[in-house]
């Protein structure tokens, strides 16, 4: 039988995370405090679980993964397969070998569960009884709600009110996990009440949900409650947790004796992409490989292509510290895209440095082109990817066609960050005008 | 690490199917021809792929699985894990060990893909250029459309018009597979036109889609076209194909040195349940084990509990031969249930005999109780099951609680036939009145 899937045994599940920060060509620029008071750095530290603060500042390359986190990963189906796109290769008539990592097999629908269960583990260890978070499209909300359900930790999620209407399945998924889901703006926070006063039917927005979650966490901690914030985007510790993706891929490629020529992932703030490439960066910088790392963005939010490299706020509520990276500006008006996870104004500082030094290349597409590629992928490979991953698939197809022109037998590896089952409506609208 | 998942390597994927028919306590009653003409047996043979007709009459227990089918199975993610419900056990405080088979990990959403890729393989081998089928809720439609996409075979699907509106995601999924989906009743068949004439906005029904698909296949074959019918329900060859589920489970239980005390599956016509238990029946009949086989039905269609054992039509269009089994009658008015796959009037003749001889027990529940169990399962195990499998989960929970009363350390194994991602709307309506 031709190799179609590379599977790892449970014993081969990584026992250590890989921290890419020591490999970076220059030191990470530190967080800065904006003029607003109280200190945003202080606020952030007060609501973040201590082990996570420590992980963000780690200088070691290898960091032990607690046994209980590995146990939770097994529960949610890790290790995950690396599949070879044999039928896509045949369809494209390309000499390239295309592999794809199956993060879509997550029970909550995306790779976000990898860090969600880790954060829940640390919450339990630190005695936090409640995690507070926010979600715009719902993938992160589903992951943190699911992880809290597994761990028996209370979970409060601020979910954009408009999305509760347009994405009811995500809402129901979070409710089934036992989460307390609050339509944002809500009457539970000052900032929420302010927006509701303005407009009782306010549709909400990503920045408002962020601010509500931050306010909720800050006030709870001030009241002496055991609460903390949970984050899904590409903060340093999230990137560390997501390195499990790349570590599995590395082992799987070694099993079939391959070195990647090209690694591709979609990028909003960068956590799936960085987790995927982390263990491969050093070999490239050391000249041992010539692996190209390709970050794929939506033209609706091309931060790495059209953004500036500078300090900026992480959230529009200006409650978080300033970080330095490529940014479109906190007030950027995004173009249309159903790949909600890619509509971010700023990438992680780690990714910023890799981009600045030319280690990471960037590409962008529009929904139509990406979704057509996803359709082809579903037909020939049988895997329905989420709109975000559709962008990565599109780039893989284009690069495989390029390999056909040049005749190069390149090894292309692409990370499928999530499943498209709950996004079929968006595919229907874009592809079939349904 | 405590055992949470039992994984098989690709080499351990079954190489032979297990045919349970030779194990049955009495011979299968033959199909009969109803008074309608032309002969329904003849019609059925004309539109069924020859290897499938042969498989339905096989007397051997073990039947070779073609390499290409195993290859397609690997493509769609076989072998699938057997998971241990460690957290559910803890939640229920039961001494029972609960295992569940992950057929929900299918890329099209359910176990139906197992037979779909086999039927597509035989279509290619026999030179059939087009497969015709029908679907009521869409799970089978998604599977056969997906398999046809993988195999490069044309696919025509008659899909209940009303379901196209209420289940647009399934429609889009089939379209993305490249299938020609026809809203039924359609203007493409005589029977469809008859119903449309009656009511241009006719919502359609399962029997009408069946009749449309049969008419389409029959007329195509009469015109000399290379077309055939594809079937998802529990005909003999479908049960044979689905035995891959039970064969994997048997191997996985042997790896952890367990013999099942109780095996549980949901039953509409019986294909997932029979595939699951097939390789375990002989040992029970030979007295080597005392495994209980429990078929779970919905009170909306309790064919094994309230039906009669007699000859009946397989479809309301009366285009198929008569088969003998437990039936509620072809004109039975089903009660309400969102577990559409369980709303069948009749179980397979194989299951009929096993039930008649007391080898299989039957239970029934209502949606509310089943869906509450699914919610618990999602919270503690992180796996979102389809409404049909919710019934099986409910039975597993009840039997595990019974084991707690008796103190028995029973091994309970339950088949999760599909994923609930596309059924979140039904869960929301039932559990949260959304």
């Amino acid at each position: 039988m031709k190799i179609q899937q590379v599977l790892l045994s449970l014993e081969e599940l990584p026992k250590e995370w890989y921290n890419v920060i020591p490999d970076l060509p220059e030191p990470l620029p530190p967080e800065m405090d904006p003029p607003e008071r109280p200190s945003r750095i202080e606020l952030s530290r007060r609501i973040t679980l201590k082990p996570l603060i420590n992980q963000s500042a780690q200088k070691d390359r290898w960091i032990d993964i607690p046994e209980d986190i590995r146990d939770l990963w097994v529960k949610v189906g890790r290790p995950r397969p690396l599949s070879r796109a044999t039928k896509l290769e045949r369809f494209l008539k390309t000499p390239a070998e295309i592999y794809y990592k199956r993060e879509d097999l997550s029970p909550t629908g995306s790779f976000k569960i990898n860090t969600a269960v880790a954060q829940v583990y640390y919450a339990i260890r630190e005695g936090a009884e409640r995690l507070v978070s926010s979600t715009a499209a719902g993938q992160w909300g589903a992951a943190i709600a699911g992880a809290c359900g597994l761990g028996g930790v209370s979970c409060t999620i601020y979910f954009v009110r408009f999305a509760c209407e347009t994405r009811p399945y995500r809402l129901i998924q979070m409710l089934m996990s036992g989460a307390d889901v609050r339509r944002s703006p809500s009457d539970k926070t000052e900032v929420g009440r302010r927006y509701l006063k303005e407009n009782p039917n306010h549709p909400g927005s990503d920045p408002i949900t962020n601010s509500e979650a931050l306010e909720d966490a800050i006030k709870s901690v001030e009241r002496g409650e055991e609460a903390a914030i949970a984050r899904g985007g590409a903060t340093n510790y999230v990137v560390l947790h997501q390195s499990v993706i790349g570590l599995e891929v590395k082992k799987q490629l070694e099993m079939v004796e391959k070195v990647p020529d090209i690694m591709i992932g979609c990028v909003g703030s960068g956590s799936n992409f960085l987790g995927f490439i982390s263990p491969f960066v050093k070999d490239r910088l050391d000249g041992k490989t010539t692996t190209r790392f390709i970050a794929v963005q939506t033209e609706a939010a091309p931060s790495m292509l059209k953004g500036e490299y500078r300090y900026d706020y992480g959230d529009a509520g200006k409650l978080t510290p300033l970080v330095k990276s490529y940014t479109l500006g906190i007030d950027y008006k995004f173009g249309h895209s159903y790949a909600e996870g890619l509509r971010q104004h700023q990438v992680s500082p780690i990714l910023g440095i890799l981009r600045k030094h030319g280690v990471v290349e960037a590409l962008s597409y529009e929904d139509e082109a990406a979704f057509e590629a996803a359709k082809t992928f579903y037909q020939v490979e049988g895997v329905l990817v989420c709109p975000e991953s559709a962008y990565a698939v599109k780039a893989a197809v284009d690069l495989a066609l390029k390999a056909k022109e040049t005749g190069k037998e390149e090894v292309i590896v692409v990370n499928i960050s999530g499943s498209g089952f709950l996004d079929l409506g968006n595919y229907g609208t874009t592809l079939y005008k349904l």
Side-chain angles (χ1 to χ4, degrees), chain A:
Chain A
M1 197 183 297
K2 197 170 169 186
I3 289 165
Q4 303 222 55
Q5 290 220 56
V6 189
L7 305 179
L8 295 175
S9 68
L10 298 183
E11 291 69 36
E12 289 167 309
L13 184 66
K15 294 186 174 61
E16 294 168 298
W17 278 304
Y18 190 80
N19 177 20
V20 74
I21 295 175
D23 296 340
L24 296 178
E26 66 175 274
L28 264 193
E31 290 187 345
M32 297 260 284
D33 239 332
E36 288 84 3
R37 281 292 165 263
S39 156
R40 286 354 193 193
I41 292 178
E42 270 314 302
L43 274 189
S44 174
R45 293 179 74 90
R46 230 184 298 155
I47 57 172
T48 304
L49 295 163
K50 276 202 188 54
L52 301 178
I53 297 175
N54 295 340
Q55 282 180 351
S56 282
Q58 272 287 352
K59 291 188 167 45
D60 296 333
R61 287 200 164 83
W62 294 99
I63 293 167
D64 281 348
I65 303 172
E67 182 76 10
D68 285 353
I69 292 179
R70 299 175 68 234
D71 216 43
L72 282 166
W73 279 347
V74 170
K75 188 99 242 159
V76 298
R78 299 212 77 85
R80 302 209 189 284
L82 180 74
S83 298
R84 173 135 178 222
T86 45
K87 288 186 183 292
L88 180 63
E89 293 168 17
R90 215 174 304 151
F91 176 80
L92 299 173
K93 299 190 179 70
T94 177
E97 292 182 17
I98 307 170
Y99 295 85
Y100 55 103
K101 181 67 171 173
R102 299 291 311 275
E103 292 300 318
D104 60 293
L105 289 174
S106 156
T108 62
S110 83
F111 75 105
K112 299 264 184 193
I113 194 76
N114 299 332
T115 183
V117 297
Q119 294 185 44
V120 166
Y121 162 79
Y122 289 114
I124 295 169
R125 219 185 67 179
E126 298 296 301
E129 288 155 7
R130 183 169 72 99
L131 284 177
V132 184
S133 205
S134 63
T135 191
Q139 283 99 331
W140 167 247
I144 190 66
C148 283
L150 283 175
V153 171
S154 291
C155 184
T156 305
I157 297 172
Y158 292 88
F159 188 22
V160 172
R161 182 179 296 268
F162 176 68
C164 291
E165 311 299 328
T166 56
R167 297 171 179 256
Y169 280 25
R170 290 280 182 211
L171 170 65
I172 297 161
Q173 194 184 3
M174 290 181 243
L175 292 173
M176 285 184 74
S177 289
D180 175 10
V181 184
R182 297 175 179 177
R183 289 167 173 79
S184 167
S186 78
D187 60 2
K188 308 283 186 186
T189 66
E190 265 179 40
V191 59
R193 286 189 290 271
R194 200 159 61 226
Y195 282 100
L196 282 179
K197 203 172 165 188
E198 209 173 84
N199 175 3
N201 298 311
H202 198 293
S205 73
D206 199 5
I208 299 173
T209 61
N210 282 341
S211 301
E212 285 208 276
L214 289 166
E215 183 188 322
D216 181 338
I218 291 165
K219 291 205 169 148
S220 299
V221 169
E222 280 170 356
R223 279 196 304 269
E225 292 170 17
E226 299 296 343
I229 197 92
R231 295 189 181 92
T235 50
N236 295 355
Y237 61 82
V238 169
V239 172
L240 179 72
H241 300 163
Q242 295 295 358
S243 70
V244 66
I245 302 173
L247 290 164
E248 285 186 9
V249 169
K250 195 156 196 197
K251 212 170 279 190
Q252 287 166 315
L253 287 173
E254 282 164 8
M255 284 167 69
V256 291
E257 299 178 351
K258 300 288 171 190
V259 174
D261 293 302
I262 301 175
M263 296 184 78
I264 303 170
C266 59
V267 167
S269 63
S271 71
N272 94 74
F273 180 71
L274 286 172
F276 178 54
I277 70 168
S278 280
F280 294 87
V281 169
K282 188 165 188 298
D283 281 351
R284 152 78 184 268
L285 290 170
D286 291 349
K288 289 187 189 156
T289 65
T290 55
T291 306
R292 293 172 61 192
F293 304 111
I294 298 184
V296 192
Q297 299 202 291
T298 170
E299 288 186 12
S303 60
M304 295 173 77
L305 290 152
K306 300 194 180 155
E308 293 170 29
Y309 186 72
R310 61 172 171 83
Y311 273 99
D312 198 2
Y313 290 91
D315 74 312
K318 301 188 178 177
L319 281 167
T320 52
L322 297 170
V323 297
K324 191 171 187 184
S325 190
Y326 287 91
T327 177
L328 292 162
I330 188 66
D331 298 320
Y332 187 75
K333 298 277 172 259
F334 297 116
H336 168 80
S337 170
Y338 285 120
E340 299 259 9
L342 305 188
R343 301 203 327 157
Q344 307 283 336
H345 70 287
Q346 185 185 49
V347 296
S348 106
I350 298 174
L351 189 49
I353 288 185
L354 290 172
R355 169 72 178 142
K356 185 178 156 212
H357 286 262
V359 183
V360 164
E361 302 166 55
L363 282 180
S364 70
Y365 295 104
E366 289 183 335
D367 275 6
E368 286 71 15
F371 290 10
E372 281 292 340
K375 178 177 152 190
T376 298
F377 197 72
Y378 184 51
Q379 283 186 23
V380 300
E381 288 295 316
V383 172
L384 184 62
V385 307
C386 62
E388 291 79 7
S389 296
Y391 279 81
V393 168
K394 170 64 178 163
V397 166
D398 280 0
L399 286 156
L401 290 174
K402 197 148 201 173
K404 189 170 155 182
E405 284 170 26
T406 60
K408 281 192 204 162
E409 292 177 14
E410 288 175 314
V411 174
I412 299 173
V413 191
V414 53
N415 192 37
I416 305 299
S417 61
S419 151
F421 274 107
L422 295 191
D423 306 294
L424 279 162
N426 298 336
Y427 281 121
T429 306
T430 308
L431 296 172
Y432 305 104
K433 314 296 167 214
L434 282 174

